[in-house]
Amino acid sequence: MSGITKGKVLYSDAVTSAESFFDEIITILITSISFIVSVQLIKTKSSPVLTYTRKEYLKADFPIAAIGEKKVYSFKIFEILEKIADQQKIDFIEYVAYEKTLENISNVTNATVFENQDTYYFIRKVIAECYLTYYEKIKDTIHQLYGTDPLHWPSELQFARVVRNAFAHHTIV
């Protein structure tokens, strides 16, 4: 099985609460890391994560590979969870963009690999719901800019519509 890993650093930036997709990114990150840690805790009856120092937590990141791009966006998740635990408002999420590389997933240190349909279903539902929410948020803007006929939209938006329809009609496996 191959996996996507991080190559050289390309740049760093932050997603701010002013971005239209901010809530969806937060939802995906929090849900995904909570899911991974919970599964690990249930499976092993303990978790190395529970014994990390704050310094080790700050190193923890959550990489998301960009489809169609040669980048991996790596988000520092501990700061998000720490702010939630301290009941602080999250105004931005820092990330680092890395060059996307491929390698055998078994060689990736601390990689969590889920290979059963129930797990894929959970992950797919979270990502699909976030995608659908975001698409619906921007649909009126798309119609204002390009009209209601998808054939007149830029190819990226036509593709986004196809993905939206696949998620909405449960045709993505």
Side-chain angles (χ1 to χ4, degrees):
M1 171 184 268
S2 66
I4 296 170
T5 57
K6 301 178 295 191
K8 71 178 182 175
V9 173
L10 300 173
Y11 58 90
S12 60
D13 202 350
V15 177
T16 69
S17 57
E19 302 284 346
S20 60
F21 54 86
F22 184 78
D23 292 340
E24 289 74 26
I25 292 289
I26 287 278
T27 301
I28 290 170
L29 291 172
I30 292 171
T31 305
S32 298
I33 193 60
S34 300
F35 175 75
I36 290 168
V37 171
S38 297
V39 167
Q40 183 183 42
L41 187 58
I42 290 167
K43 184 178 174 183
T44 64
K45 307 293 187 251
S46 67
S47 173
V49 171
L50 298 176
T51 61
Y52 285 174
T53 65
R54 186 171 191 282
K55 186 177 178 180
E56 291 171 312
Y57 279 127
L58 289 172
K59 291 184 215 172
D61 65 345
F62 190 83
I64 299 175
I67 297 172
E69 291 185 48
K70 296 185 182 209
K71 296 178 190 171
V72 173
Y73 298 97
S74 184
F75 294 86
K76 296 294 184 184
I77 52 162
F78 178 71
E79 292 170 3
I80 297 167
L81 296 175
E82 190 174 51
K83 283 181 179 180
I84 290 170
D86 292 340
Q87 298 184 23
Q88 295 177 11
K89 186 174 182 351
I90 301 169
D91 294 317
F92 62 92
I93 311 165
E94 294 178 0
Y95 67 88
V96 176
Y98 293 89
E99 183 179 71
K100 186 190 308 182
T101 61
L102 295 173
E103 69 177 63
N104 188 310
I105 196 75
S106 62
N107 295 331
V108 178
T109 306
N110 297 323
T112 303
V113 180
F114 297 109
E115 297 186 275
N116 67 52
Q117 194 59 34
D118 292 335
T119 305
Y120 285 134
Y121 178 78
F122 170 80
I123 293 168
R124 186 175 65 237
K125 289 297 283 184
V126 169
I127 293 171
E129 291 305 317
C130 287
Y131 187 90
L132 290 170
T133 300
Y134 180 69
Y135 184 89
E136 291 304 315
K137 271 200 272 189
I138 65 168
K139 186 170 72 173
D140 288 341
T141 302
I142 294 169
H143 289 172
Q144 288 171 1
L145 293 172
Y146 304 106
T148 57
D149 184 354
L151 294 177
H152 296 112
W153 298 359
S155 60
E156 294 86 356
L157 293 176
Q158 290 179 24
F159 177 72
R161 181 180 163 274
V162 169
V163 172
R164 178 258 176 237
N165 289 342
F167 278 140
H169 301 293
H170 309 290
T171 55
I172 291 183
V173 179

